[in-house]
């Protein structure tokens, strides 16, 4: 494993804003510096700056690859997963950069980091020592070869979701290692198995493939769905798919997670109440809620009406300040037409545009309306319950 010499650390610190390509082309100007390695470290550090601020602030951390930094969990999501652990020991079966293992080790006494890539393991040993995480054991192995030897309170696995051509994969059976082949063995070796899958995966289909699921967590940061976690247990008996609780969690700095919990059965049985009249307030759910599919349940619990079955925007005449999402005061509901689109920028030259269940994209709307991005005005292009296309003008409540 390459090391971070004082000269190399000084070089990285003084070139944090430089483009990687320019540094590579200028490698001859720095004869004492391993420029490809330095560029790899610079790129990886940029990728973790917001995700892992404590790691970014530590200049002794070594990043085995920029891909490891790109794919690692954030501090916020790793801390959320601390509360899902069971028992006093945990095995991270696909260690990667080691962020999850590091934060698991802050919550339980014994953590084993397992990774098949020897360079990743070397970097992890170094980094855990630098971070004083003395309760993490690093083991170089392929989980497929050692699954039957494991013993832990919790096993955590994050299968690789990219093909050889770096194409993103969403289907569970396409990821590596194949959790469908491993789950029976792993569930015999631990109390709880946490599987991280693509946020793009279909929840109902994944439940069918993983009937041992006891709970599902959909985790959002910065208004983006980051992690979809299926928590599996061998005992007690499996829950019917409709009774598995789904937790849509929104993580914000300095505050506890904002969580909405429901079941698929509850969603199926909830009545659908739509309206073609936009009330005094408009609501847009958090990204985790939109992924969860709690559309009717959300309206029922907060006493709201949906604008359309497929629009996923809600309205009321009195403010629900506790709604889990963005809240707006509506100013006008404009009937959409080509004429409106042609002249709207005269009155609204700048606005934040969003589309929900609408035939035009945000980019197309902006191009055709000539409305500049930004400001404190919000426009929602959507479809109402009667099928009418509309643009709703509003400001944050």
């Amino acid at each position: 494993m390459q090391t971070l010499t004082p000269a190399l650390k000084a070089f990285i610190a003084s070139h944090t804003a430089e483009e990687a390509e320019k540094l590579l082309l200028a490698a001859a100007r720095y004869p004492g510096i391993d420029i490809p390695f330095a560029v790899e470290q610079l790129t990886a550090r940029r990728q973790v700056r917001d995700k892992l601020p404590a790691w970014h602030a530590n200049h002794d951390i070594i990043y085995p690859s920029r891909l490891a930094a790109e794919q690692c969990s954030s501090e916020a999501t790793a801390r959320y997963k601390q509360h899902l652990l069971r028992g006093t020991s945990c095995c991270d079966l696909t260690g990667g950069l080691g962020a999850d293992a590091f934060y698991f080790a802050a919550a339980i006494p014994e953590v084993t980091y397992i990774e098949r890539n020897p360079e990743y393991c070397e970097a992890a040993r170094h980094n855990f020592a630098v971070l004083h995480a003395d309760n993490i054991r690093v083991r170089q192995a392929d989980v497929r070869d050692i699954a039957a030897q494991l013993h832990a309170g919790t096993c955590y696995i994050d299968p690789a979701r990219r093909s050889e051509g770096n194409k993103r994969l969403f289907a569970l059976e396409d990821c590596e290692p194949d959790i469908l082949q491993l789950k029976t063995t792993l569930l015999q070796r631990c109390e709880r198995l946490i599987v991280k899958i693509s946020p793009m995966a279909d929840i109902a289909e994944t439940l069918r493939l993983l009937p041992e699921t006891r709970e599902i967590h959909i985790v959002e940061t910065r208004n983006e769905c980051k992690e979809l976690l299926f928590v599996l247990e061998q005992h007690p008996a499996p829950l019917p798919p409709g009774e598995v609780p789904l937790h849509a969690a929104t993580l914000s700095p300095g505050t506890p997670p904002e969580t909405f919990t429901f079941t698929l059965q509850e969603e199926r049985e909830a009545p659908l109440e739509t309206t073609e009249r936009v009330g005094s307030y408009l609501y847009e759910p958090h990204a985790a809620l939109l992924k969860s599919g709690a559309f009717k349940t959300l309206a029922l619990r907060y006493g709201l009406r949906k604008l359309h079955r497929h629009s996923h925007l809600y309205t009321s005449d009195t403010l629900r300040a506790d709604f889990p999402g963005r809240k707006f005061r509506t100013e006008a509901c404009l009937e959409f037409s080509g004429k409106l689109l042609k002249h709207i920028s005269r009155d609204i030259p700048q606005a934040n545009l969003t589309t929900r269940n609408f035939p035009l994209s945000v980019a197309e709307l902006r191009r055709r309306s000539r409305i500049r991005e930004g400001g404190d005005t919000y426009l929602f292009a959507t479809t109402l319950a009667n099928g009418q296309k509309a643009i709703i003008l509003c400001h944050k409540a």
Side-chain angles (χ1 to χ4, degrees), residues 108-362:
I108 56 176
E110 181 184 338
V111 173
T112 302
Y113 163 105
I114 298 170
E115 169 60 53
R116 64 182 182 178
N117 186 316
E119 293 181 358
Y120 282 31
C121 289
E122 286 187 46
R125 287 190 186 95
H126 168 85
N127 293 337
F128 295 149
V130 165
L131 295 164
H132 306 292
D134 302 325
N135 58 330
I136 305 177
R137 180 169 71 101
V138 174
R139 182 176 182 183
Q140 183 193 337
D142 189 318
V143 62
R144 292 170 291 193
D145 298 330
I146 64 169
Q149 307 168 17
L150 299 174
H151 180 75
T154 302
C155 283
Y156 172 77
I157 189 166
D158 178 8
R161 296 186 292 277
R162 290 179 187 266
S163 65
E164 290 183 1
N166 209 29
K167 181 181 179 182
R168 290 185 182 274
L169 302 172
F170 305 128
L172 195 60
E173 57 268 30
D174 292 336
C175 298
E176 187 181 275
D178 187 347
I179 190 63
L180 299 181
Q181 295 182 4
L182 283 172
K183 62 174 183 172
T184 300
T185 300
L186 291 173
L187 284 169
Q188 292 170 350
R189 311 301 299 171
C190 64
E191 299 174 36
R192 168 170 278 199
L193 172 62
I194 303 173
V195 184
K196 176 180 172 181
I197 67 172
S198 167
M200 299 296 293
D202 181 88
I203 290 176
E205 173 61 13
T206 306
L207 262 177
R208 185 186 68 81
L209 295 171
L210 302 177
E212 303 88 352
T213 301
R214 303 295 298 182
E215 53 192 70
I216 300 169
H217 296 259
I218 306 151
V219 186
E220 166 196 349
T221 61
R222 300 173 185 263
N223 203 35
E224 184 179 350
C225 200
K226 289 293 187 181
E227 299 199 2
L228 182 54
L229 306 166
F230 279 67
V231 179
L232 282 60
E233 293 179 4
Q234 187 74 7
H235 302 289
L239 289 170
E243 296 180 14
V244 174
L246 282 80
H247 308 275
T250 300
L251 310 184
S252 301
T255 61
E258 185 177 359
T259 304
F260 184 93
T261 300
F262 73 107
T263 66
L264 295 179
Q265 184 67 25
E266 184 180 4
E267 174 66 15
R268 280 194 293 268
E269 294 176 353
L272 173 65
E273 294 192 30
T274 60
T275 181
E276 57 196 56
R277 187 186 74 83
V278 180
S280 301
Y281 295 94
L282 186 75
Y283 306 87
E284 180 189 36
H286 286 315
L289 272 166
L290 291 172
K291 172 62 183 177
S292 76
F295 304 128
K296 295 185 294 180
T297 307
L298 188 62
L300 183 63
R301 288 199 196 170
Y302 287 90
L304 309 175
R305 291 179 181 270
K306 290 194 75 181
L307 296 188
H308 185 280
R309 174 183 289 272
H310 303 300
S311 291
H312 309 323
L313 291 171
Y314 302 80
T315 190
S316 69
D317 286 320
T318 56
L319 177 63
R320 285 303 306 257
D322 55 344
F323 179 83
R326 297 198 296 174
K327 299 164 278 287
F328 301 89
R329 178 183 290 276
T330 58
E331 310 293 344
C333 182
L334 310 173
E335 185 174 331
F336 178 78
S337 67
K339 183 178 180 180
L340 172 70
L341 203 58
K342 185 176 181 180
H343 300 293
I344 192 172
S345 63
R346 296 177 184 175
D347 299 319
I348 311 172
Q350 184 180 36
N352 303 279
L353 283 174
T354 299
T355 59
R356 292 276 182 231
N357 188 26
F358 197 76
L360 300 180
S361 67
V362 168

